[in-house]
Amino acid sequence: MDKKATWDRFYTENQAERFKHFDWFFGYDVVSEFLLPFIRGKHSFSVLDVGCGTSDVGPGLYKHSATPVHVFCVDFSCVAVEHMRHQFLNLPKPKNCRSELHFMESDATELKEFQSQSFNLVLDKGTSDALLRASDGAKKASKVLLECLRVLKPHGNILQFSDEDPDARIPFLQQANKDSGQDLSIAVQELGSFRGVNYFMYIINLQDLGSVL
């Protein structure tokens, strides 16, 4: 599940007849109630969605946020990115006319297109889960987290949406915290059951930016 060719083939086959969003777990309608509290009250907000695929979360946030948001949706599958770009060539006007939406091809383990401290919020909905299910996945998932931390602004948050139980995910995040040398705050919120599966939101906040700078 960590191979680019696998996902290029998946998105080619999934969009063979007509475009349709594909979301791990759930789409924007479900996750919006958990996302919007992190954005309310800000004058302007920058959001990075890593491993976006053809999810409707980034576009949904762009369309419905009352706060102006600059949303960057990135994926290492060029097929997924091109599908999304084509689908949103003629975007409807967002709720806030200052909001922007961008789609870019980028590898979440090496976000070289972005400078450090670029985003207020980083979203990871199923991306780390896919990596952790692959061989040598923990190493790659750790690289994703480190890159997300690098591009995070002071007092920003990383939100990992996952079906992995806290007994498994929290030790992984704590080890990544230790390896990074950062001072991270890690919290978990249970999102409830969807289609018979329990989901969680892991909230990672960077407390000390000293060793990132």
Side-chain angles (χ1 to χ4, degrees), residues 37-56:
F38 288 90
I39 296 175
R40 290 193 184 109
K42 304 289 185 180
H43 295 295
S44 182
F45 215 81
S46 53
V47 181
L48 176 65
D49 184 3
V50 295
C52 65
T54 55
S55 168
D56 75 343

Side-chain angles (χ1 to χ4, degrees), residues 6-207:
T6 300
W7 289 107
D8 283 346
R9 183 170 59 254
F10 171 82
Y11 289 117
T12 298
E13 294 172 353
N14 196 48
Q15 312 295 336
E17 296 182 2
R18 63 180 180 84
F19 178 87
K20 54 182 179 293
H21 288 292
F22 172 81
D23 272 286
W24 283 94
F25 315 148
F26 39 72
Y28 176 79
D29 287 345
V30 172
V31 80
S32 61
E33 66 177 291
F34 305 105
L35 274 179
L36 294 178
F38 288 90
I39 296 175
R40 290 193 184 109
K42 304 289 185 180
H43 295 295
S44 182
F45 215 81
S46 53
V47 181
L48 176 65
D49 184 3
V50 295
C52 65
T54 55
S55 168
D56 75 343
V57 170
L61 193 58
Y62 160 81
K63 288 187 288 186
H64 299 293
S65 174
T67 298
V69 290
H70 303 276
V71 183
F72 288 79
C73 301
V74 303
D75 201 281
F76 72 168
S77 170
C78 60
V79 177
V81 171
E82 283 306 310
H83 279 313
M84 293 291 272
R85 283 176 177 166
H86 181 74
Q87 177 68 13
F88 292 97
L89 280 175
N90 299 305
L91 287 169
K93 290 185 178 180
K95 188 170 185 177
N96 190 299
C97 63
R98 292 166 54 202
S99 290
E100 297 178 0
L101 179 63
H102 307 275
F103 301 102
M104 296 177 61
E105 185 179 350
S106 183
D107 188 335
T109 65
E110 189 179 1
L111 296 166
K112 57 186 178 181
E113 296 83 1
F114 302 108
Q115 296 182 349
S116 298
Q117 299 185 28
S118 297
F119 296 97
N120 301 105
L121 185 66
V122 179
L123 308 179
D124 174 348
K125 189 168 72 68
T127 299
S128 289
D129 289 55
L131 291 174
L132 287 167
R133 288 174 170 86
S135 59
D136 198 26
K139 182 178 180 180
K140 291 183 178 180
S142 294
K143 289 179 68 176
V144 169
L145 180 57
L146 288 175
E147 277 295 271
C148 291
L149 287 169
R150 181 184 65 80
V151 301
L152 196 65
K153 289 184 178 182
H155 309 298
N157 292 283
I158 299 169
L159 305 183
Q160 290 188 352
F161 295 92
S162 175
D163 63 356
E164 188 171 51
D165 190 270
D167 289 344
R169 182 56 61 92
I170 292 295
F172 164 75
L173 293 174
Q174 289 174 335
Q175 183 61 49
N177 180 14
K178 182 178 178 181
D179 293 343
S180 71
Q182 306 303 312
D183 182 13
L184 305 180
S185 168
I186 301 169
V188 59
Q189 179 178 344
E190 188 168 359
L191 304 182
S193 177
F194 304 97
R195 300 170 188 167
V197 179
N198 289 326
Y199 292 98
F200 305 89
M201 179 173 69
Y202 296 93
I203 306 161
I204 304 148
N205 179 269
L206 186 57
Q207 302 293 303

